[in-house]
Amino acid sequence: MRKSPLLRQTLAIYLLVIILGTLLLIAKNVWVHDLRLADLAEYFFGAMAVLNIVFVSLMQLISYVRLRGVHRYFQGRTVFPQPDRLLRRLFRFPAELFWSMIALSAVLSVAYHGAYGLFMKSSDTWNDLLGSFLSEQALAVTLAVMVYGLLRSALRPYLQQLQQSGTGSARRMSAIRPLMLCYMSCFVIISLDVLRNLVDVAEQEDEIDIASLASIVIVDFLFSLAVFTLLIRGLRQELRDMADGIRSLSSGSRAQLHGAIRIGFPDEMGQLAEAFNAEQERAARRYDQLEEELALAASVQQMLLPERVCRFGSFHVHAEGTIAEAAGEWYDIVPLDRGRFAVACGVVLGRDMPAALVMSAALVLLRSEIRQGRAAGDALQLLLSEWLDLLPKDMRIHMGVALLDPSQNTVQIAAVGFVGIEVRRLSEGGAAVRCLAAGQEAVQSGSLSLQRGDRMTIAVEAGAPDHANLGYKREERAHTRVSVCYDTG
Amino acid sequence: MNPYRLMKRKLVRLYVGMMLGLLAAMNGYNAYVDGSTWAHIFRYDFYFVLAGNAAVFAMLGVLTNMRLRKVKAFFAEQGGPAARTGALRALLRLPAVVGLAFLAGCMLLSFVYHFAEIVLLRIRPLGLVVIRHVMIELAAGATLAILLHGVVRMIASPCASLLGKKDMEGMRPTSLFWPWLGAYASLLAVTCLMLVWSVINGSGMGGVRLESMLAVCLFTFLFGLFVMRLLTSGLLRDIGALTRGMQALREEPANRRFIPVTGRDETGQLAEAVNALQDQIEREYADIRNELRLAQEVQRRLLPAAQHEIGCFRIACHARPAREVGGDLYDVLRLSDRMFAIAIGDVSGKGMSAALVMSAVMTLFRSEARRGGTAGEMMTRLNRQLSETLRGSMMVTLGIGLFDCRAGTLSYASGGHLAPYVIARGSIRAHLFSSLPLGIDAEERYSEEQIALNPGECLVLYTDGVIERMNASGTMLGFERLESALADVPPGYSPTEMLACLRTALQAPAVDHEAELQQSGIHDDDWTLMLIQRADEEGAADA
């Protein structure tokens, strides 16, 4: 079972909000109403504790009821049959909690003042009560906006994990409205506090205490700023995440270029992400054919090449190197009559795809010529002359071929261009007994007899010219080589 | 109208409107919040406010004009890329410059006013009252500066969008966080200060009047709402513009597919990120397309010329792959003074994968044709080699013809290729063969047949792209259409003329590959047609 901290997150949000709200109320009681902490202990602390516990439990209960399915889904306990329903529930949740909180605050506020009237036999006037109630509601709205913003931030990763393809028919909402609402409710808090202070003063026919008025305004100001900062940070984060998502696509491989970014709530940002994904999809379709063609070409080319490892009597043949999709490198292992066989390896230097065209032709032509019994050097010469006029200026064929005759223990070798052939002899301490060095313009050829323990390598030399200059992109590609080992017996 | 002029007109309106609004607001504040009498206001304050405002906005006007010089020059004469960059930089910086300049102007005015009132005119001493005034002046100045920033940005963004730059030209990115927080904080500060000051002023004058307090509240509330609304609508417009920009991407050709950057904050950064991605996609595929074009070049070099005249035979060919490269092939190969061979073939599949096999088949054909033997023997040898190479995963249909110039005869072997036609005078004959395509059975033996080709008659070879070509209504042309087109060729035409005539009749695909794809959107098969005509007069053979 995976861990899903969803419900713990909601609880943390409610606790944070309730602590902030209580602190603000305490501060106001101390400054605005000139109460001492001892006075507060009489009723306020107890009542607030009870109300807070009730509030948090109810909010968490609502969250549990509404998010139960989502929570289970992310714990991996259920496979949710209708992801659409899941999505819609997540979409609606912050707004539901916003309104629940407002309603709950109104009820709790009435309960608080009602109980106060009952137990403390208070002498508060209706005016006082109304003022308190309004002020509390304004505070509740501000805190509800904060809850809304925090819930959105907390739920966004879950929504994105559901990998929605679009926000669909979900009711559009605005990411901006909370900002406006926050301003309005904060304004009401501040102005109500000032007005109530004035009314208090007028009723008690006191002098106005500017210091206490200023301090309450400062507390309100800082509180409002904190809530707004939270909201605007959430908004910024959302935009930044989106930009980061897009950047990560462009730094990835070609397949990733058409990836989608994750969609959160169905607001302006959601629409933006949706529009982006739609464009991505269109672009992907546009290039699908090309990708398909490349993949197919790569598979055809792989098909032209023989198995990498094989045995002819006491000879063990092994080809290595990465033959990448549609490019100019190849190796070949050709069984011939009377137990003879040929090995070859080469590269057509040039851009990958045109090189691949020449490569496939060179491969089959060499096979054909060798099978016809042509000598290694002649076969190379013929191939080069066949292609000499057909190749564009900057393309060249480089290759080496070896024809082995196990019955005679002889080998004919020929190489041209950046392909070298080397025979190392075990009995001579691994020294090279014969080699055709790479880098020759003309076809070199020769022959020698082989001994047990000899090892022959035909390889595209690493010293081949700067591939990048020839548009040969994959410098990191391992060079192709074919080795033939004569068993020691 | 020139977009620069439009922007400038809006800016002038903004400055004038704001100046008038400020005049009203400042004097109103003095009268209703600060509790000055109108007589007192008209003694010094009114004139100072008037002159100060005029000075600040004149300064803004001059500054804006200076900053927008490059933009003006760009829109006036459509300057080059450097001018474009300069203009964009000026436009992107303008909101911050105007906002800061306004704030500086406010601070300067406030300083001058209070300096004059304390030091020069000695109206009042430096005290709490002055500090209160300075505070509210600064808070209001900050709010207005941010408001100005937002509105100038909105006004400048159409021009910035017209400049059409893909990135911020290396300018430091900013964040929408600070303007928003600044706007909110200064708005609340103005609210708080106004409330507290009006209480202090009221209590100083023997009691706070509730009505005036409510009026102050209402006024600040509405003003705050207005500022917030403006900022939010600015942000929504930016996001909306991005969304529309993304939706508009599809209408643009690949190299102009981008969203213009109109700001330096997160929305601008988003546009930048999208543009970078589009560029990356474009680059990635431009490389592939470029390679495909080079591959096309290699394939073209591999194919022989389109027209030949060998002995008494005249040959005309036309081939066009459905994509850059394709699997159709044709070849004309002189074997000796007397003999030449032709081949036509079609590799199963399309595009690069078919082209890989096509080049191999071409090379093998040339090598086998030189080795000699009858057409059937060539085909048998070719099939064995191809079968081993292709291992059953692909197949090739091929027709090989061996022509004897002296005898004027043709022996033809088919490897599952479409039946050739002979256009004789007034009639057409199809030569049917039953044979397997190459690459299916390595041991298959192929044989050739003699096809009589009398003087003036013409052999027609083609690939399936010709008969499977769709017409505009989406139906295949088919054999009947090919046959009727062949029958309609006027007698006496040379192969080249016949080919031109047939290309029209058979709706041969346009030579411009891209144009074709965009027009029809149908991916046709590769299209190849080859005509070999025996010259009319016997004498030509000996020549």
Side-chain angles (χ1 to χ4, degrees):
Chain A
M1 197 196 320
R2 284 170 294 170
K3 275 198 172 160
S4 154
L6 179 58
L7 288 173
R8 250 177 294 149
Q9 284 171 333
T10 56
L11 184 63
I13 290 171
Y14 305 143
L15 286 176
L16 173 74
V17 165
I18 211 71
I19 288 170
L20 202 61
T22 309
L23 284 179
L24 190 75
L25 284 178
I26 294 175
K28 280 188 181 180
N29 275 322
V30 172
W31 275 307
V32 183
H33 302 293
D34 276 336
L35 297 173
R36 280 167 299 130
L37 288 178
D39 298 336
L40 292 179
E42 262 180 51
Y43 175 76
F44 177 83
F45 283 143
M48 276 313 277
V50 172
L51 289 185
N52 283 351
I53 291 170
V54 170
F55 174 82
V56 171
S57 338
L58 280 177
M59 290 289 278
Q60 186 65 3
L61 183 69
I62 297 170
S63 309
Y64 176 73
V65 170
R66 298 299 296 164
L67 293 181
R68 204 172 35 196
V70 181
H71 184 62
R72 281 205 192 126
Y73 175 81
F74 279 105
Q75 279 188 325
R77 278 196 285 174
T78 50
V79 181
F80 209 88
Q82 292 157 297
D84 269 2
R85 248 184 74 194
L86 209 64
L87 276 177
R88 271 204 298 279
R89 188 157 285 190
L90 278 173
F91 286 160
R92 280 201 295 249
F93 185 70
E96 282 172 358
L97 263 281
F98 175 84
W99 291 114
S100 309
M101 188 164 157
I102 302 239
L104 207 55
S105 309
V107 171
L108 292 182
S109 174
V110 168
Y112 175 89
H113 292 293
Y116 188 76
L118 278 182
F119 297 126
M120 307 304 287
K121 310 278 181 255
S122 97
S123 56
D124 282 353
T125 61
W126 283 107
N127 260 350
D128 277 347
L129 282 178
L130 183 69
S132 302
F133 183 76
L134 281 181
S135 169
E136 279 152 16
Q137 288 320 296
L139 177 63
V141 171
T142 311
L143 291 175
V145 171
M146 188 171 148
V147 165
Y148 181 88
L150 288 173
L151 279 178
R152 268 176 58 100
S153 300
L155 291 184
R156 200 152 53 91
Y158 294 95
L159 269 176
Q160 291 177 335
Q161 272 182 50
L162 287 174
Q163 283 290 4
Q164 9 165 1
S165 55
T167 50
S169 57
R171 235 180 66 200
R172 296 285 170 205
M173 43 194 204
S174 172
I176 303 296
R177 201 172 297 157
L179 298 180
M180 292 295 285
L181 207 55
C182 176
Y183 168 74
M184 291 196 264
S185 57
C186 286
F187 181 90
V188 171
I189 292 177
I190 294 175
S191 47
L192 267 182
D193 277 345
V194 173
L195 288 178
R196 282 177 65 208
N197 191 289
L198 285 183
V199 171
D200 276 357
V201 168
E203 278 175 357
Q204 288 158 23
E205 294 175 1
D206 260 356
E207 277 291 294
I208 294 173
D209 181 0
I210 298 297
S212 95
L213 185 69
S215 50
I216 178 67
V217 166
I218 287 171
V219 168
D220 282 344
F221 177 78
L222 292 178
F223 167 76
S224 312
L225 213 56
V227 175
F228 191 79
T229 307
L230 262 171
L231 293 178
I232 194 80
R233 273 173 66 105
L235 197 70
R236 176 180 67 175
Q237 200 51 44
E238 221 169 307
L239 282 167
R240 283 189 175 173
D241 286 351
M242 209 183 287
D244 285 346
I246 295 172
R247 280 191 206 110
S248 74
L249 292 180
S250 55
S251 61
S253 65
R254 192 162 70 222
Q256 274 174 296
L257 284 179
H258 299 304
I261 52 170
R262 294 174 159 189
I263 300 177
F265 283 92
D267 51 21
E268 292 85 359
M269 317 280 183
Q271 287 171 37
L272 183 60
E274 237 181 309
F276 175 79
N277 286 345
E279 167 55 26
Q280 283 293 89
E281 223 172 275
R282 253 195 311 278
R285 271 203 303 278
R286 210 159 43 217
Y287 293 112
D288 252 0
Q289 183 205 327
L290 219 48
E291 290 286 351
E292 214 173 89
E293 186 167 343
L294 276 189
L296 209 60
S299 74
V300 167
Q301 199 177 27
Q302 288 299 328
M303 173 201 79
L304 293 176
L305 301 174
E307 293 285 325
R308 280 172 180 263
V309 179
C310 65
R311 258 197 113 77
F312 296 93
S314 310
F315 290 90
H316 184 79
V317 185
H318 175 61
E320 41 191 328
T322 30
I323 307 287
E325 53 182 41
E329 275 155 293
W330 88 93
Y331 65 87
D332 204 0
I333 304 167
V334 192
L336 301 166
D337 55 350
R338 291 181 281 123
R340 296 181 312 138
F341 66 97
V343 292
C345 133
V347 61
V348 179
L349 282 186
R351 291 264 184 183
D352 281 352
M353 273 185 272
L357 280 186
V358 179
M359 166 262 157
S360 68
L363 175 115
V364 293
L365 188 62
L366 189 71
R367 266 183 207 174
S368 160
E369 293 302 325
I370 295 285
R371 284 209 174 112
Q372 299 301 328
R374 213 177 276 276
D378 295 349
L380 277 199
Q381 196 67 57
L382 185 123
L383 203 148
L384 288 187
S385 60
E386 176 85 357
W387 275 92
L388 186 67
D389 298 332
L390 297 176
L391 286 182
K393 267 204 303 293
D394 55 346
M395 281 177 83
R396 285 279 309 278
I397 303 177
H398 308 259
M399 59 197 280
V401 59
L403 252 159
L404 290 103
D405 187 348
S407 64
Q408 313 275 325
N409 278 350
T410 56
V411 61
Q412 278 179 30
I413 50 179
V416 65
F418 296 111
V419 175
I421 303 183
E422 194 179 62
V423 181
R424 290 184 179 273
R425 186 149 290 169
L426 194 63
S427 62
E428 294 178 19
V433 291
R434 181 76 215 244
C435 78
L436 299 178
Q440 303 298 319
E441 284 284 319
V443 175
Q444 308 165 268
S445 59
S447 62
L448 77 157
S449 29
L450 291 174
Q451 293 180 7
R452 285 196 175 268
D454 281 357
R455 181 192 176 89
M456 181 179 69
T457 320
I458 310 179
V460 176
E461 289 294 317
D466 186 11
H467 286 169
N469 284 345
L470 291 158
Y472 185 75
K473 313 185 266 213
R474 301 186 185 86
E475 296 99 292
E476 72 276 12
R477 193 190 283 165
H479 288 294
T480 315
R481 59 167 62 224
V482 185
S483 327
V484 183
C485 297
Y486 194 0
D487 286 355
T488 48
Chain B
M1 188 171 179
N2 183 330
Y4 170 75
R5 288 243 185 92
L6 208 66
M7 173 176 72
K8 205 166 157 191
R9 184 195 284 178
K10 280 187 191 163
L11 284 174
V12 169
R13 280 184 193 162
L14 170 71
Y15 291 162
V16 171
M18 211 163 150
M19 188 171 77
L20 294 178
L22 261 181
L23 277 180
M26 285 167 86
N27 288 311
Y29 172 83
N30 283 342
Y32 295 109
V33 182
D34 210 31
S36 306
T37 58
W38 284 107
H40 177 81
I41 289 170
F42 275 107
R43 204 172 49 166
Y44 294 118
D45 290 356
F46 178 79
Y47 304 103
F48 183 82
V49 165
L50 188 68
N53 260 314
V56 167
F57 281 100
M59 182 267 294
L60 280 188
V62 171
L63 184 72
T64 309
N65 230 349
M66 263 167 54
R67 303 289 306 185
L68 290 182
R69 254 192 345 251
K70 284 181 180 162
V71 185
K72 182 181 180 183
F74 177 81
F75 279 105
E77 57 208 38
Q78 289 292 325
R84 194 178 277 261
T85 305
L88 183 77
R89 280 168 168 267
L91 272 180
L92 292 191
R93 287 216 180 97
L94 187 69
V97 167
V98 170
L100 285 175
F102 181 81
L103 190 61
C106 286
M107 286 162 86
L108 189 69
L109 269 192
S110 169
F111 174 77
V112 169
Y113 178 85
H114 294 293
F115 184 77
E117 134 189 288
I118 297 163
V119 180
L120 300 180
L121 301 174
R122 293 174 195 280
I123 295 173
R124 53 167 70 104
L126 176 62
L128 262 179
V129 177
V130 175
I131 292 173
R132 265 164 43 198
H133 281 148
V134 171
M135 280 172 82
I136 194 132
E137 279 154 16
L138 289 186
T143 311
L144 290 170
I146 291 170
L147 179 73
L148 202 56
H149 174 276
V151 179
V152 169
R153 203 187 142 180
M154 273 191 234
I155 293 176
S157 73
C159 266
S161 149
L162 280 174
L163 284 171
K165 283 302 247 182
K166 285 185 186 178
D167 55 28
M168 293 181 228
E169 302 292 345
M171 290 172 88
R172 201 168 43 82
T174 58
S175 173
L176 55 82
F177 179 73
W178 294 111
W180 272 89
L181 198 64
Y184 186 78
S186 58
L187 260 180
L188 278 188
V190 170
T191 308
C192 296
L193 291 175
M194 283 212 0
L195 285 170
V196 176
W197 291 181
S198 57
V199 169
I200 294 176
N201 289 339
S203 69
M205 292 187 306
V208 181
R209 279 174 306 142
L210 205 59
E211 310 85 70
S212 88
M213 281 295 291
L214 282 176
V216 168
C217 278
L218 191 69
F219 172 74
T220 40
F221 181 71
L222 290 180
F223 175 66
L225 219 54
F226 170 70
V227 173
M228 291 293 286
R229 185 87 228 166
L230 231 124
L231 285 175
T232 47
S233 71
L235 180 60
L236 286 184
R237 264 165 65 153
D238 284 347
I239 296 178
L242 274 178
T243 308
R244 280 191 305 281
M246 305 242 197
Q247 286 160 349
L249 283 179
R250 81 184 101 161
E251 272 108 43
E252 295 293 327
N255 54 348
R256 281 198 282 124
R257 208 167 274 144
F258 70 95
I259 301 172
V261 171
T262 59
R264 287 157 73 191
D265 60 10
E266 279 78 2
T267 53
Q269 290 160 40
L270 253 174
E272 242 186 357
V274 172
N275 295 338
L277 180 66
Q278 294 291 332
D279 278 357
Q280 179 76 17
I281 291 177
E282 189 45 34
R283 257 200 309 282
E284 203 62 60
Y285 286 96
D287 272 359
I288 299 180
R289 287 204 182 282
N290 195 19
E291 276 192 21
L292 276 172
R293 269 191 288 278
L294 288 170
Q296 186 177 32
E297 168 70 17
V298 168
Q299 202 174 40
R300 278 210 192 115
R301 283 163 172 268
L302 207 53
L303 295 171
Q307 291 170 31
H308 300 262
E309 194 159 348
I310 306 174
C312 57
F313 294 100
R314 282 186 292 178
I315 305 168
C317 325
H318 175 74
R320 214 222 55 173
R323 301 177 188 168
E324 283 87 350
V325 289
D328 275 11
L329 62 104
Y330 71 87
D331 205 357
V332 180
L333 197 63
R334 247 179 210 272
L335 299 175
S336 63
D337 286 347
R338 189 183 161 144
M339 306 285 290
F340 73 95
I342 56 103
I344 185 157
D346 181 3
V347 179
S348 60
K350 267 181 255 184
M352 192 60 204
S353 53
L356 282 174
V357 178
M358 173 269 185
S359 69
V361 175
M362 287 279 295
T363 329
L364 278 179
F365 165 72
R366 285 173 187 176
S367 129
E368 292 304 332
R370 288 207 192 91
R371 197 158 285 144
T374 63
E377 284 163 2
M378 288 176 193
M379 188 77 85
T380 308
R381 293 200 302 262
L382 239 162
N383 175 49
R384 188 170 306 136
Q385 305 201 32
L386 272 179
S387 301
E388 282 166 15
T389 304
L390 299 180
R391 294 183 233 167
S393 60
M394 285 173 96
M395 55 184 197
V396 182
T397 68
L398 191 68
I400 297 179
L402 266 179
F403 289 83
D404 186 328
C405 296
R406 209 156 294 164
T409 58
L410 155 66
S411 73
Y412 181 87
S414 170
H417 199 72
L418 294 165
Y421 287 98
V422 171
I423 310 181
R425 284 193 181 81
S427 71
I428 54 166
R429 327 185 277 274
H431 286 266
L432 299 173
F433 292 84
S434 91
S435 54
L436 275 184
L438 280 62
I440 292 179
D441 180 5
E443 298 309 316
E444 176 76 8
R445 298 200 72 79
Y446 293 87
S447 57
E448 68 278 349
E449 274 179 38
Q450 298 297 318
I451 294 179
L453 204 58
N454 300 315
E457 290 183 348
C458 183
L459 179 73
V460 180
L461 298 167
Y462 54 94
T463 58
D464 55 6
V466 173
I467 47 169
E468 283 167 12
R469 171 102 181 134
M470 301 282 178
N471 64 14
S473 59
T475 50
M476 270 196 328
L477 291 182
F479 286 100
E480 296 84 18
R481 183 68 193 277
L482 173 64
E483 286 170 15
S484 74
L486 292 177
D488 289 344
V489 173
Y493 266 33
S494 75
T496 316
E497 290 161 337
M498 286 167 77
L499 191 66
C501 171
L502 284 170
R503 274 173 67 179
T504 319
L506 298 171
Q507 302 172 354
V511 180
D512 184 0
H513 179 77
E514 285 291 320
E516 165 83 9
L517 270 187
Q518 285 189 348
Q519 249 170 37
S520 63
I522 307 166
H523 298 294
D524 270 305
D525 207 348
D526 305 330
W527 197 99
T528 305
L529 188 64
M530 193 174 185
L531 304 170
I532 303 126
Q533 189 185 45
R534 187 172 168 188
D536 246 336
E537 288 149 29
E538 265 326 296
D542 301 319

